[in-house]
Amino acid sequence: MAAIERDDSLRDKALRVLRQGIVSGEIRTGELYSATAVARRLGVSVSPVREAMLTLVNAGIMEAVRNRGFRVAELSQEDLDEIFEIRLLLEVPAVCALTNCDLSEEQEHLDELVRATETSAEAQDVNTFLAADREFHLTLIRLHGNKRLVATIADLRDQTRLYGLMETAEHSLIEAAKEHRTILEALLARDAPLAQRLLTTHLGHVRNEWASPAEIRHG
């Protein structure tokens, strides 16, 4: 894990490093990690690392093991199905409501995010793709104007992105990036039915890429 600079929020930086470690597989499902050991590797005090780990516990991404440390939470297929259903119920209508808005001021930034997913998909840079993918989707939710909704969707995305990422096929990243482009075009065209159909299909493709922990270990 990369070292953390001291000129910014240590908790936020520890949180970012931990998330990246989970996604990359450096922090492994089923293994225990102590805040003290992680803090030592990052070159910071224990307190911000423990706070970051507890933030991930509250988000359902990690779980605390009493007197032993923290580990990445495992999700069942039922868990993944429930999360997918919640995202359909919350994310799709929130994003499609943007067809009633003038997005001209946000168009350049949204286009940059889509291009970032396209570029990283072509390069098969999974970590960069995931960062751009996350920011694209959450930016759309932020434009809806509900901070609690943004936080909820962010937590749901982070929970489900723990599984099957590094095994994602090349065409899956490229197709996902293409879907981002068509979703943005539908929003800019203010075509709500098309945006709804495209985003629902996109989230369905994401769900199909998720794998259970058992499938990853034995697949």
Side-chain angles (χ1 to χ4, degrees):
M1 287 175 281
I4 295 179
E5 298 176 1
R6 297 175 180 272
D7 58 351
D8 199 354
S9 167
L10 294 179
R11 187 197 70 88
D12 289 344
K13 287 193 172 184
L15 186 59
R16 184 172 65 250
V17 171
L18 287 167
R19 287 182 188 275
Q20 183 175 352
I22 292 170
V23 169
S24 69
E26 184 178 358
I27 298 177
R28 299 178 179 276
T29 302
E31 294 188 12
L32 286 168
Y33 296 87
S34 72
T36 301
V38 173
R40 188 180 302 115
R41 291 184 63 184
L42 298 179
V44 299
S45 62
V46 175
S47 180
V49 173
R50 181 178 290 110
E51 290 177 5
M53 286 178 150
L54 289 173
T55 297
L56 294 176
V57 170
N58 291 333
I61 297 169
M62 298 192 81
E63 58 186 14
V65 181
R66 188 173 181 179
N67 298 325
R68 298 182 64 192
F70 298 83
R71 64 187 175 199
V72 176
E74 293 191 359
L75 300 180
S76 67
Q77 288 299 303
E78 182 179 359
D79 291 327
L80 296 174
D81 287 337
E82 289 179 354
I83 291 170
F84 172 60
E85 181 180 12
I86 295 172
R87 287 189 64 186
L88 287 179
L89 291 171
L90 297 180
E91 189 169 350
V92 173
V95 171
C96 291
L98 297 178
T99 57
N100 296 318
C101 306
D102 181 4
L103 298 178
S104 56
E105 292 186 4
E106 291 79 22
Q107 181 174 351
E108 182 177 357
H109 177 55
L110 290 170
D111 186 67
E112 288 176 354
L113 292 174
V114 171
R115 281 190 278 110
T117 64
E118 292 169 338
T119 301
S120 55
E122 290 288 346
Q124 288 298 285
D125 184 343
V126 176
N127 284 329
T128 301
F129 175 87
L130 290 175
D133 170 76
R134 185 179 194 272
E135 186 60 24
F136 172 69
H137 282 276
L138 293 185
T139 295
L140 294 178
I141 300 297
R142 289 189 193 103
L143 293 174
H144 187 70
N146 187 318
K147 294 180 180 179
R148 288 177 174 81
L149 181 60
V150 175
T152 298
I153 296 298
D155 286 344
L156 292 172
R157 286 179 55 83
D158 290 344
Q159 287 177 43
T160 52
R161 281 299 192 180
L162 300 180
Y163 300 119
L165 295 180
M166 306 317 290
E167 293 80 13
T168 299
E170 177 179 350
H171 70 85
S172 297
L173 294 183
I174 294 174
E175 286 304 311
K178 289 180 180 178
E179 290 171 359
H180 292 157
R181 175 66 63 187
T182 58
I183 290 168
L184 178 57
E185 290 173 350
L187 293 175
L188 294 174
R190 297 192 175 188
D191 190 334
L194 178 59
Q196 179 179 9
R197 184 167 67 252
L198 291 172
L199 184 54
T200 300
T201 299
H202 178 66
L203 295 181
H205 289 162
V206 172
R207 173 63 186 94
N208 289 336
E209 291 173 6
W210 297 340
S212 70
E215 288 170 337
I216 291 176
R217 286 194 295 267
H218 303 299

